[in-house]
Amino acid sequence: MTASPDTPLTIARGDGIGPEIMDAALRVLDAAGARLAIEEIQIGQAVYHRGHSAGIEPDAWESLRRTRLFLKAPITTPQGGGFKSLNVTVRKSLGLFANVRPCVAYSPFLPTKHPTMDVVIVRENEEDLYAGIEHRQTDEVVQCLKLVSRPGSERIVRYAFEYARRHGRSKVTCMSKDNIMKLTDGLFHAVFDEVAAEYPEIEAEHSIVDIGAARLADTPEIFDVVVMPNLYGDILSDVAAQVAGSVGLAGSSNIGRDCAMFEAIHGSAPTIAGQDVANPSGLILASAMMLVHAGQGDVAERLHNAWLRTVEDGVATADMGSPASPVGTQAFADAVAARLGEEPTRLPVVRYPQVEEAIRVEPSVRVRATKTMDGVDVFVDHPDRDPDALAAALAAADDGPLSLALITNRGVKVWPDGLPETFCTDHFRCRFLAADPGTATQAQVVALLHRLEQAGVDVVKTEGLYRFDGELGYSLGQGQ
Ligand code: NAD
């Protein structure tokens, strides 16, 4: 029998506890007989400080695009302007749209209030507020764009259902805040309902994210697979990992059509770096997920079962429920390596297929809707914060086909008939509408902006008020 070729893999040791836990994971991978051709790249703080604002150098991209498989230790993201999050950049640049984070309790061996918890968080990885499009528009107001797309939502929701089907899971829960964000989270929820109908054997439910989060923290055993937009998924997967036992335990996969990245869900934990106390389990379990993806299910199984046996034998780092005699990072890895070939006797044994076919999801092809325009929202910087004075200034420009209908401040109607109690900032949204829906034109908007400029109004941005096949594509101002 000829040995299968080694799988090309890019690794990065990252920052903080990254190098220690990567050393530990690599030792276990090597001892388990993983067939890997490893290339190492540098990412993180040192690269940021060499002047690369994304924390990664051009050569590193070549390695990632060649191997298409990345095992990554956490990095420290510098605070403040000028630096981009490397994690977000890598996920988006390589199209890693699905972030899968299994959060499992290992009771009675690791203390948890939720002994039967076994939740998989499927987090959308490319969109939402993580588009990173932020602007300061006035002296007082900054904004962050929340972008949610139909194909992006469809891919992640379909991935969650395909994952549930593949892994014999019975329920997929969607969490969103569509009672408030009716268009963005509303689209995510609507797509969830559409896709769920194609999987009748899997129970589908939706929960508003606030009560969903409370239940996930309080009674996580009622959940199975949970699919969420990016921000909620980021926050709640940490919650889920922590209530399962420790944030140091969970591994995650970031899956795209062509590439995949595997990492622990925790960060670089700089305060415990260099002390040999960090738990390497998150990266070790991420390595098992990576091996399954790479078609080395046999090695993944050996590694994962040895890790379970280690936990059963009471070997634990300090974060794993305050053990009486915690072991260090490298000793934990040695304990896992020493148990390769053994299986847990009380925790469920894991079984992986030798080669697991990748979950492939594509958004469906749709006919584009017919787009018409009702008018425009003009956002203005108005330092004296007086809505009536602003309305008077706008009236000077309001002699065209688009008429002032409404002024809001942070979404609250302040003209006409605003309440004196409403606090105003210097950032106003002024809605101009055509007399009949769907009849506004870009030329009218340009003419309006020209008149506003001549009237001394400081326009900071505009948003078209569109309909798609006659359906409203914008939120109504409060009070309308
Ligand atoms: P963190 O996850 O690094 O630490 C949170 C807490 O958990 C700390 O008390 C830490 O000591 C503990 N902890 C984390 N991992 C542990 C482990 N393996 N073993 C034992 N204890 C562990 O989160 P943070 O402090 O908010 O972030 C620190 C840095 O990590 C920040 O710069 C952040 O941007 C970055 N970060 C990176 C990633 C990534 O690279 N994927 C993810 C999250 C945060």
Side-chain angles (χ1 to χ4, degrees):
M1 200 174 100
T2 49
S4 54
D6 290 348
T7 305
L9 168 70
T10 304
I11 64 150
R13 288 172 199 270
D15 299 317
I17 58 171
E20 309 161 53
I21 61 170
M22 182 57 83
D23 278 351
L26 290 177
R27 286 224 317 283
V28 177
L29 280 167
D30 188 41
R35 302 175 290 277
L36 300 169
I38 294 176
E39 312 183 358
E40 183 164 347
I41 60 169
Q42 225 194 1
I43 55 167
Q45 270 189 317
V47 183
Y48 281 114
H49 292 143
R50 281 205 292 276
H52 298 277
S53 66
I56 182 165
E57 283 170 320
D59 297 359
W61 286 114
E62 283 169 31
S63 171
L64 290 171
R65 295 187 60 221
R66 192 169 44 242
T67 66
R68 299 174 170 206
L69 191 64
F70 190 18
L71 182 65
K72 183 185 140 298
I75 62 145
T76 302
T77 309
Q79 300 282 315
F83 298 109
K84 286 190 272 186
S85 161
L86 171 79
N87 298 317
V88 175
T89 304
V90 170
R91 287 171 191 151
K92 290 205 288 199
S93 304
L94 298 180
L96 308 177
F97 66 92
N99 190 335
V100 181
R101 299 179 158 191
C103 300
V104 185
Y106 302 99
S107 181
F109 305 102
L110 293 182
T112 171
K113 294 186 191 116
H114 311 287
T116 58
M117 173 178 182
D118 181 2
V119 179
V120 179
I121 307 276
V122 178
R123 163 189 170 195
E124 197 288 317
N125 226 5
E126 297 179 296
E127 307 194 337
D128 194 0
L129 289 157
Y130 287 56
I133 306 174
E134 294 191 298
H135 297 98
R136 178 170 173 177
Q137 296 183 327
T138 67
D139 189 57
E140 295 174 343
V141 174
V142 288
Q143 77 158 19
C144 175
L145 278 189
K146 174 166 166 130
L147 294 177
V148 176
S149 76
R150 176 170 268 278
S153 303
E154 190 181 334
R155 278 207 303 181
I156 193 66
V157 169
R158 209 170 271 291
Y159 190 94
F161 277 97
E162 286 293 324
Y163 182 97
R165 185 177 268 175
R166 169 80 59 87
H167 294 90
R169 290 184 172 257
S170 57
K171 182 166 79 168
V172 179
T173 306
C174 171
M175 292 192 196
S176 81
K177 188 78 184 170
D178 66 334
N179 53 333
I180 302 294
M181 285 161 281
K182 295 178 195 296
L183 286 182
T184 47
D185 283 22
L187 175 61
F188 195 86
H189 185 174
V191 169
F192 176 80
D193 288 345
E194 288 167 23
V195 173
E198 296 174 35
Y199 296 82
E201 78 281 14
I202 298 171
E203 185 187 342
E205 65 176 14
H206 174 268
S207 175
I208 297 294
V209 66
D210 27 13
I211 186 63
R215 291 200 180 114
L216 191 63
D218 183 54
T219 41
E221 42 293 287
I222 64 174
F223 294 104
D224 195 346
V225 175
V226 185
V227 64
M228 283 183 270
N230 206 339
L231 177 65
Y232 313 142
D234 191 5
I235 296 168
L236 292 183
S237 55
D238 265 36
V239 171
Q242 186 69 20
V243 300
S246 163
V247 75
L249 285 177
S252 76
S253 57
N254 297 264
I255 305 290
R257 204 176 51 186
D258 304 313
C259 307
M261 174 171 85
F262 298 83
E263 59 183 341
I265 78 157
H266 60 75
S268 58
T271 55
I272 57 167
Q275 299 166 31
D276 191 42
V277 296
N279 185 353
S281 297
L283 197 57
I284 290 175
L285 293 178
S287 303
M289 296 168 94
M290 184 265 299
L291 288 168
V292 175
H293 179 87
Q296 298 188 30
D298 54 339
V299 191
E301 204 171 284
R302 206 158 45 241
L303 188 156
H304 200 157
N305 284 323
W307 181 87
L308 288 165
R309 183 57 185 264
T310 307
V311 170
E312 266 190 7
D313 287 348
V315 182
T317 50
D319 60 301
M320 293 163 80
S322 312
S325 332
V327 300
T329 311
Q330 304 313 323
F332 186 89
D334 290 341
V336 177
R339 287 164 178 78
L340 288 163
E342 294 180 40
E343 293 187 338
T345 56
R346 290 177 59 197
L347 290 169
V349 174
V350 293
R351 292 280 175 247
Y352 292 118
Q354 173 60 17
V355 177
E356 188 171 85
E357 209 184 308
I359 294 176
R360 300 232 165 262
V361 291
E362 290 300 333
S364 33
V365 180
R366 297 174 64 251
V367 180
R368 283 179 71 82
T370 303
K371 183 173 162 186
T372 54
M373 187 159 71
D374 291 352
V376 64
D377 274 348
V378 178
F379 292 77
V380 305
D381 182 348
H382 183 61
D384 84 3
R385 303 159 165 213
D386 176 353
D388 293 323
L390 176 59
L394 295 173
D398 188 5
D399 61 351
L402 300 177
S403 308
L404 182 65
L406 173 80
I407 302 177
T408 67
N409 196 286
R410 294 171 302 153
V412 180
K413 188 181 82 163
V414 291
W415 185 94
D417 307 322
L419 296 178
E421 289 82 5
T422 305
F423 176 76
C424 286
T425 67
D426 58 5
H427 185 272
F428 289 84
R429 184 230 346 226
C430 311
R431 175 159 291 179
F432 290 85
L433 292 174
D436 295 312
T439 60
T441 66
Q442 295 293 355
Q444 292 167 358
V445 173
V446 172
L448 171 67
L449 294 178
H450 184 61
R451 289 196 302 277
L452 290 174
E453 201 268 328
Q454 286 180 330
V457 176
D458 183 2
V459 174
V460 295
K461 86 161 183 172
T462 63
E463 291 284 356
L465 303 174
Y466 301 112
R467 284 173 193 259
F468 294 82
D469 289 342
E471 196 180 314
L472 220 54
Y474 55 93
S475 57
L476 295 174
Q478 269 185 41
Q480 269 193 325

